[in-house]
């Protein structure tokens, strides 16, 4: 599975961005898809995950109520809609795929190149 994330950019606090991740590979529908982020000087952290069927999602407390993860099986894409952005959301965002639902980055087998999100105050 190959992943490519895009959609990052510069936004003011309170604004919105939508990240997308395009996936290749016939096993996309069977994989959990997650979003992670890594701020400068910090470890990579979990943001959100969605099941293969898109029936279940799970979010980090820090983004719950502001971010929404979704996927389109027909297009092999997963998206992260980010509303109410805060300066502390500034990070490089990565999409990743895992055979099992987990918040642990080390459990994800496939990673896309990150996309930078910068939120100005």
């Amino acid at each position: 599975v190959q992943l490519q994330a895009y959609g990052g950019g510069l936004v003011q606090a309170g604004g919105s961005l939508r990240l997308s991740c395009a996936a290749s590979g016939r096993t996309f529908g069977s994989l959990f898809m997650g979003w992670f982020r890594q701020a400068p000087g910090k470890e990579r952290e979990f943001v959100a995950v969605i099941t293969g069927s898109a029936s279940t999602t799970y979010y980090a407390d820090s983004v719950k109520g502001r971010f929404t993860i979704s996927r389109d099986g027909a297009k092999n894409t997963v998206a992260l809609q980010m509303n109410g952005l805060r300066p502390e959301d500034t990070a490089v965002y990565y999409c990743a795929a895992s055979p099992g639902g987990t918040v642990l980055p080390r459990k994800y087998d496939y990673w896309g190149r990150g996309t930078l999100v910068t939120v100005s105050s």
Side-chain angles (χ1 to χ4, degrees):
V1 176
Q2 293 185 326
L3 306 173
Q4 178 64 55
Y6 53 95
L10 173 65
V11 64
Q12 289 188 330
S16 299
L17 276 177
R18 184 177 179 85
L19 305 182
S20 295
C21 177
S24 63
R26 289 177 287 180
T27 61
F28 174 75
S30 66
L31 296 171
F32 289 75
M33 296 298 299
W35 284 96
F36 292 80
R37 65 187 182 186
Q38 188 165 16
K42 295 187 176 182
E43 293 187 352
R44 192 167 298 187
E45 66 172 1
F46 167 79
V47 175
V49 63
I50 188 167
T51 58
S53 64
S55 61
T56 304
T57 57
Y58 182 73
Y59 298 89
D61 288 342
S62 58
V63 307
K64 198 173 297 182
R66 300 188 297 124
F67 292 10
T68 303
I69 188 171
S70 61
R71 68 190 293 165
D72 185 332
K75 297 181 179 180
N76 276 14
T77 58
V78 60
L80 185 69
Q81 178 65 42
M82 304 185 294
N83 300 327
L85 283 162
R86 304 167 180 168
E88 55 264 37
D89 294 318
T90 295
V92 176
Y93 283 71
Y94 300 87
C95 62
S98 171
T102 175
V103 303
L104 300 175
R106 59 183 171 87
K107 295 293 189 179
Y108 283 74
D109 297 326
Y110 308 98
W111 290 86
R113 297 182 67 177
T115 184
L116 177 62
V117 172
T118 303
V119 184
S120 63
S121 57

